[in-house]
Amino acid sequence: MGRFKKINDLPEETKVLIFGFHRGLAWLGRDEIHQPSGRFITNLNPDLWEYSQDENLIRQGTGAIALARCARLTGEEKYAVRAAQTILSILAETQLNDGVRSTTPSNLVCSKFGASATLAIAILELPRIDEIRQKNALELCAFLAKHLKADGEWAFPEDAASDSEKQYAGLGLYALMLGASRSPSLVSTETLQKAIAIQKKKFKGDAPLSSIAWLATASTEIFARTKDKTAC
């Protein structure tokens, strides 16, 4: 397990967590699931043992985030390589306009905001980021920042789904946290603090679990940066 060579010396609860995540990672990184193209096969019929393709860029990007994080946690390069393959395959479906990058599928197919946010996070979570990939990530973050007003409120495009804020606000905030740590001019810390406070009031107990998880991650990041206990 890479850097967990002395796993038996760890507390029992920690060992359970490590074994669980490693088994999930082994599944996610297997050749039958992660294809040479960089895309994941997300659906499996266990009775027929048949796989189906899934071109949803948010789910593909989330898989890349998982691999990138695992590469950082385990120190195993193979997971970073697989994450980079997925990132490149999704970058092929983005467009750049005046320094702002976003995914190309329409909001009717897949949320541009959600897909751009997951892709930015996947890049910025890699153990090592070259100059070109970091530039790509910051271009994606610039797209997200366009939708965040100075008072912390989100302004999604008219053609976006009506529940976009509830679904993707936390995701977008975490992506902007990571981007702002590399380019402070992207968005101010004050704006991010305001946005987190607004989201906590708006969707307390009334948001998808994935959105709550991303909001919690963003809150943790802003606390680490500012030591503002109200963010938690």
Side-chain angles (χ1 to χ4, degrees):
M1 293 190 185
R3 61 184 56 165
F4 298 111
K5 293 179 180 178
K6 296 183 179 180
I7 192 170
N8 290 328
D9 296 336
L10 298 173
E12 192 62 32
E13 295 83 359
T14 305
K15 287 192 286 186
V16 171
L17 287 172
I18 292 173
F19 277 119
F21 113 81
H22 201 271
R23 287 176 180 175
L25 179 61
W27 170 265
L28 192 63
R30 62 188 293 187
D31 291 337
E32 295 89 344
I33 301 300
H34 189 256
Q35 304 169 90
S37 65
R39 295 300 176 93
F40 295 94
I41 295 176
T42 59
N43 299 299
L44 168 66
N45 184 325
D47 295 324
L48 302 177
W49 200 252
E50 291 182 349
Y51 298 97
S52 59
Q53 300 289 337
D54 183 358
E55 296 304 317
N56 183 295
L57 297 185
I58 296 176
R59 287 194 283 267
Q60 295 291 332
T62 301
I65 292 171
L67 287 175
R69 283 184 167 181
C70 287
R72 292 174 62 186
L73 181 62
T74 64
E76 295 187 37
E77 183 67 19
K78 62 182 179 180
Y79 298 124
V81 171
R82 286 186 180 272
Q85 288 175 325
T86 303
I87 287 167
L88 287 174
S89 76
I90 303 175
L91 277 171
E93 294 191 49
T94 64
Q95 58 186 0
L96 181 65
N97 293 310
D98 297 326
V100 176
R101 184 179 297 275
S102 64
T103 54
T104 53
S106 73
N107 281 318
L108 296 175
V109 176
C110 175
S111 166
K112 283 179 176 288
F113 185 93
S116 299
T118 53
L119 179 55
I121 293 171
I123 296 172
L124 296 172
E125 290 277 17
L126 286 169
R128 293 181 300 281
I129 312 170
D130 63 33
E131 186 176 340
I132 294 176
R133 292 291 82 82
Q134 177 166 295
K135 182 173 181 290
N136 294 154
L138 293 178
E139 290 164 349
L140 290 160
C141 287
F143 172 74
L144 306 177
K146 284 178 58 178
H147 298 84
L148 183 61
K149 297 187 289 187
D151 62 2
E153 290 280 3
W154 288 103
F156 287 90
E158 291 184 1
D159 64 340
S162 59
D163 64 345
S164 290
E165 184 171 7
K166 187 178 291 188
Q167 292 282 351
Y168 305 119
L171 184 70
L173 284 172
Y174 182 58
L176 287 175
M177 294 280 182
L178 296 180
S181 69
R182 291 165 173 79
S183 177
S185 62
L186 181 68
V187 58
S188 71
T189 300
E190 182 182 3
T191 296
L192 291 171
Q193 287 177 292
K194 290 178 181 178
I196 287 176
I198 289 171
Q199 293 306 313
K200 287 171 67 178
K201 289 180 181 179
K202 277 189 176 182
F203 300 122
K204 192 172 184 179
D206 182 31
L209 288 177
S210 59
S211 182
I212 293 172
W214 284 117
L215 182 59
T217 306
S219 297
T220 302
E221 187 73 18
I222 198 70
F223 172 75
R225 188 180 305 178
T226 65
K227 306 305 178 186
D228 177 13
K229 293 182 179 179
T230 62
C232 299

Short mmCIF file of all heavy atoms in Angstrom, two decimals, residues 197-229:
data_model
loop_
_atom_site.label_atom_id
_atom_site.label_comp_id
_atom_site.label_asym_id
_atom_site.label_seq_id
_atom_site.Cartn_x
_atom_site.Cartn_y
_atom_site.Cartn_z
N ALA A 197 -21.03 31.07 4.01
CA ALA A 197 -22.04 31.43 5.00
C ALA A 197 -23.44 31.39 4.39
O ALA A 197 -24.39 30.90 5.01
CB ALA A 197 -21.75 32.82 5.56
N ILE A 198 -23.57 31.87 3.16
CA ILE A 198 -24.87 31.86 2.47
C ILE A 198 -25.34 30.44 2.22
O ILE A 198 -26.50 30.10 2.45
CB ILE A 198 -24.77 32.65 1.15
CG1 ILE A 198 -24.63 34.15 1.44
CG2 ILE A 198 -25.98 32.38 0.27
CD1 ILE A 198 -24.31 34.98 0.22
N GLN A 199 -24.43 29.60 1.74
CA GLN A 199 -24.81 28.22 1.43
C GLN A 199 -25.22 27.45 2.68
O GLN A 199 -26.14 26.65 2.66
CB GLN A 199 -23.66 27.50 0.71
CG GLN A 199 -23.35 28.03 -0.67
CD GLN A 199 -24.58 28.05 -1.57
OE1 GLN A 199 -25.32 27.08 -1.65
NE2 GLN A 199 -24.80 29.17 -2.23
N LYS A 200 -24.55 27.69 3.77
CA LYS A 200 -24.88 27.00 5.02
C LYS A 200 -26.28 27.37 5.49
O LYS A 200 -27.01 26.54 6.04
CB LYS A 200 -23.84 27.35 6.10
CG LYS A 200 -22.49 26.69 5.87
CD LYS A 200 -21.45 27.22 6.82
CE LYS A 200 -21.74 26.83 8.26
NZ LYS A 200 -20.68 27.32 9.16
N LYS A 201 -26.68 28.62 5.26
CA LYS A 201 -28.02 29.06 5.65
C LYS A 201 -29.09 28.54 4.68
O LYS A 201 -30.17 28.15 5.08
CB LYS A 201 -28.07 30.58 5.70
CG LYS A 201 -27.30 31.20 6.85
CD LYS A 201 -27.39 32.71 6.81
CE LYS A 201 -26.61 33.34 7.96
NZ LYS A 201 -26.67 34.83 7.91
N LYS A 202 -28.75 28.56 3.39
CA LYS A 202 -29.73 28.19 2.37
C LYS A 202 -30.11 26.73 2.38
O LYS A 202 -31.28 26.36 2.27
CB LYS A 202 -29.19 28.54 0.97
CG LYS A 202 -29.36 29.98 0.56
CD LYS A 202 -29.00 30.14 -0.90
CE LYS A 202 -29.27 31.56 -1.37
NZ LYS A 202 -28.97 31.73 -2.82
N PHE A 203 -29.11 25.86 2.50
CA PHE A 203 -29.37 24.44 2.25
C PHE A 203 -29.05 23.55 3.43
O PHE A 203 -28.71 22.39 3.28
CB PHE A 203 -28.57 23.98 1.03
CG PHE A 203 -28.93 24.74 -0.22
CD1 PHE A 203 -27.96 25.43 -0.91
CD2 PHE A 203 -30.22 24.79 -0.66
CE1 PHE A 203 -28.29 26.15 -2.06
CE2 PHE A 203 -30.57 25.50 -1.79
CZ PHE A 203 -29.60 26.18 -2.49
N LYS A 204 -29.17 24.10 4.62
CA LYS A 204 -28.94 23.29 5.81
C LYS A 204 -30.01 22.19 5.89
O LYS A 204 -31.19 22.44 6.08
CB LYS A 204 -29.00 24.17 7.06
CG LYS A 204 -28.49 23.48 8.32
CD LYS A 204 -28.39 24.46 9.47
CE LYS A 204 -27.79 23.79 10.70
NZ LYS A 204 -27.67 24.74 11.82
N GLY A 205 -29.56 20.96 5.72
CA GLY A 205 -30.48 19.83 5.76
C GLY A 205 -31.32 19.67 4.53
O GLY A 205 -32.24 18.83 4.49
N ASP A 206 -31.06 20.45 3.48
CA ASP A 206 -31.89 20.37 2.28
C ASP A 206 -31.02 20.45 1.03
O ASP A 206 -31.16 21.32 0.19
CB ASP A 206 -32.91 21.52 2.27
CG ASP A 206 -33.83 21.46 1.06
OD1 ASP A 206 -34.11 20.36 0.59
OD2 ASP A 206 -34.24 22.54 0.58
N ALA A 207 -30.10 19.51 0.90
CA ALA A 207 -29.21 19.47 -0.26
C ALA A 207 -28.74 18.03 -0.45
O ALA A 207 -28.73 17.24 0.50
CB ALA A 207 -28.03 20.40 -0.07
N PRO A 208 -28.36 17.67 -1.68
CA PRO A 208 -27.83 16.32 -1.91
C PRO A 208 -26.59 16.07 -1.06
O PRO A 208 -25.83 17.00 -0.76
CB PRO A 208 -27.48 16.35 -3.41
CG PRO A 208 -28.29 17.47 -3.98
CD PRO A 208 -28.41 18.48 -2.90
N LEU A 209 -26.38 14.81 -0.67
CA LEU A 209 -25.25 14.47 0.18
C LEU A 209 -23.92 14.88 -0.46
O LEU A 209 -23.01 15.35 0.23
CB LEU A 209 -25.25 12.97 0.48
CG LEU A 209 -26.33 12.48 1.45
CD1 LEU A 209 -26.25 10.97 1.60
CD2 LEU A 209 -26.19 13.15 2.81
N SER A 210 -23.83 14.69 -1.78
CA SER A 210 -22.57 15.04 -2.46
C SER A 210 -22.30 16.53 -2.36
O SER A 210 -21.16 16.97 -2.16
CB SER A 210 -22.62 14.61 -3.92
OG SER A 210 -23.70 15.25 -4.60
N SER A 211 -23.36 17.35 -2.46
CA SER A 211 -23.20 18.80 -2.37
C SER A 211 -22.79 19.21 -0.96
O SER A 211 -21.93 20.07 -0.77
CB SER A 211 -24.51 19.50 -2.77
OG SER A 211 -24.37 20.90 -2.73
N ILE A 212 -23.40 18.56 0.04
CA ILE A 212 -23.04 18.85 1.43
C ILE A 212 -21.59 18.48 1.68
O ILE A 212 -20.86 19.21 2.36
CB ILE A 212 -23.97 18.07 2.38
CG1 ILE A 212 -25.41 18.60 2.26
CG2 ILE A 212 -23.49 18.19 3.83
CD1 ILE A 212 -26.43 17.79 3.01
N ALA A 213 -21.16 17.35 1.12
CA ALA A 213 -19.76 16.92 1.31
C ALA A 213 -18.79 17.93 0.72
O ALA A 213 -17.76 18.26 1.34
CB ALA A 213 -19.55 15.54 0.67
N TRP A 214 -19.09 18.45 -0.47
CA TRP A 214 -18.20 19.43 -1.09
C TRP A 214 -18.20 20.75 -0.32
O TRP A 214 -17.17 21.42 -0.18
CB TRP A 214 -18.59 19.67 -2.54
CG TRP A 214 -18.17 18.57 -3.47
CD1 TRP A 214 -18.98 17.77 -4.21
CD2 TRP A 214 -16.83 18.13 -3.73
NE1 TRP A 214 -18.23 16.86 -4.92
CE2 TRP A 214 -16.91 17.07 -4.66
CE3 TRP A 214 -15.57 18.54 -3.28
CZ2 TRP A 214 -15.79 16.40 -5.14
CZ3 TRP A 214 -14.45 17.88 -3.75
CH2 TRP A 214 -14.56 16.82 -4.67
N LEU A 215 -19.37 21.13 0.21
CA LEU A 215 -19.44 22.36 1.00
C LEU A 215 -18.63 22.20 2.28
O LEU A 215 -17.93 23.13 2.70
CB LEU A 215 -20.90 22.69 1.33
CG LEU A 215 -21.12 23.98 2.13
CD1 LEU A 215 -20.57 25.18 1.38
CD2 LEU A 215 -22.61 24.16 2.43
N ALA A 216 -18.69 21.02 2.89
CA ALA A 216 -17.90 20.75 4.09
C ALA A 216 -16.41 20.82 3.77
O ALA A 216 -15.61 21.35 4.56
CB ALA A 216 -18.26 19.39 4.67
N THR A 217 -16.03 20.29 2.62
CA THR A 217 -14.62 20.33 2.21
C THR A 217 -14.16 21.76 1.99
O THR A 217 -13.06 22.15 2.40
CB THR A 217 -14.42 19.51 0.91
OG1 THR A 217 -14.94 18.20 1.11
CG2 THR A 217 -12.95 19.42 0.54
N ALA A 218 -15.02 22.57 1.34
CA ALA A 218 -14.69 23.98 1.11
C ALA A 218 -14.58 24.73 2.43
O ALA A 218 -13.70 25.57 2.62
CB ALA A 218 -15.74 24.62 0.22
N SER A 219 -15.49 24.41 3.37
CA SER A 219 -15.46 25.07 4.68
C SER A 219 -14.17 24.74 5.43
O SER A 219 -13.58 25.60 6.08
CB SER A 219 -16.67 24.63 5.51
OG SER A 219 -17.88 25.02 4.90
N THR A 220 -13.76 23.48 5.33
CA THR A 220 -12.51 23.07 5.98
C THR A 220 -11.32 23.81 5.38
O THR A 220 -10.41 24.25 6.10
CB THR A 220 -12.31 21.55 5.83
OG1 THR A 220 -13.42 20.86 6.39
CG2 THR A 220 -11.03 21.09 6.51
N GLU A 221 -11.35 23.97 4.06
CA GLU A 221 -10.25 24.66 3.38
C GLU A 221 -10.18 26.13 3.79
O GLU A 221 -9.08 26.66 4.04
CB GLU A 221 -10.45 24.55 1.86
CG GLU A 221 -9.31 25.07 1.02
CD GLU A 221 -8.10 24.16 1.03
OE1 GLU A 221 -8.23 22.98 1.40
OE2 GLU A 221 -7.00 24.65 0.67
N ILE A 222 -11.33 26.79 3.89
CA ILE A 222 -11.32 28.20 4.26
C ILE A 222 -10.93 28.38 5.72
O ILE A 222 -10.26 29.34 6.09
CB ILE A 222 -12.68 28.88 3.97
CG1 ILE A 222 -12.55 30.40 3.94
CG2 ILE A 222 -13.72 28.47 4.99
CD1 ILE A 222 -11.79 30.93 2.75
N PHE A 223 -11.30 27.42 6.57
CA PHE A 223 -10.89 27.48 7.96
C PHE A 223 -9.36 27.34 8.09
O PHE A 223 -8.71 28.05 8.86
CB PHE A 223 -11.58 26.40 8.79
CG PHE A 223 -11.04 26.30 10.20
CD1 PHE A 223 -11.38 27.24 11.14
CD2 PHE A 223 -10.20 25.26 10.56
CE1 PHE A 223 -10.87 27.18 12.44
CE2 PHE A 223 -9.68 25.17 11.85
CZ PHE A 223 -10.02 26.14 12.80
N ALA A 224 -8.80 26.40 7.31
CA ALA A 224 -7.35 26.19 7.35
C ALA A 224 -6.62 27.46 6.91
O ALA A 224 -5.51 27.74 7.38
CB ALA A 224 -6.97 25.02 6.44
N ARG A 225 -7.25 28.23 6.04
CA ARG A 225 -6.61 29.42 5.52
C ARG A 225 -6.80 30.63 6.43
O ARG A 225 -5.89 31.45 6.58
CB ARG A 225 -7.19 29.75 4.13
CG ARG A 225 -6.46 30.85 3.40
CD ARG A 225 -7.09 31.11 2.05
NE ARG A 225 -7.17 29.90 1.23
CZ ARG A 225 -7.71 29.87 0.01
NH1 ARG A 225 -8.23 30.97 -0.50
NH2 ARG A 225 -7.74 28.75 -0.67
N THR A 226 -7.99 30.75 7.05
CA THR A 226 -8.31 31.97 7.80
C THR A 226 -8.45 31.76 9.31
O THR A 226 -8.46 32.73 10.06
CB THR A 226 -9.64 32.56 7.29
OG1 THR A 226 -10.70 31.63 7.59
CG2 THR A 226 -9.59 32.79 5.78
N LYS A 227 -8.61 30.49 9.73
CA LYS A 227 -8.89 30.16 11.14
C LYS A 227 -10.22 30.75 11.60
O LYS A 227 -10.45 30.97 12.80
CB LYS A 227 -7.76 30.64 12.07
CG LYS A 227 -6.38 30.16 11.67
CD LYS A 227 -6.33 28.64 11.55
CE LYS A 227 -4.95 28.17 11.10
NZ LYS A 227 -4.91 26.71 10.83
N ASP A 228 -11.12 30.98 10.64
CA ASP A 228 -12.44 31.51 10.94
C ASP A 228 -13.35 30.35 11.35
O ASP A 228 -13.76 29.54 10.52
CB ASP A 228 -13.01 32.22 9.71
CG ASP A 228 -14.42 32.72 9.94
OD1 ASP A 228 -14.89 32.74 11.10
OD2 ASP A 228 -15.07 33.11 8.94
N LYS A 229 -13.69 30.26 12.64
CA LYS A 229 -14.46 29.12 13.15
C LYS A 229 -15.90 29.12 12.64
O LYS A 229 -16.56 28.08 12.63
CB LYS A 229 -14.45 29.15 14.68
CG LYS A 229 -13.08 28.90 15.28
CD LYS A 229 -13.14 28.88 16.81
CE LYS A 229 -11.76 28.61 17.40
NZ LYS A 229 -11.80 28.60 18.88
#
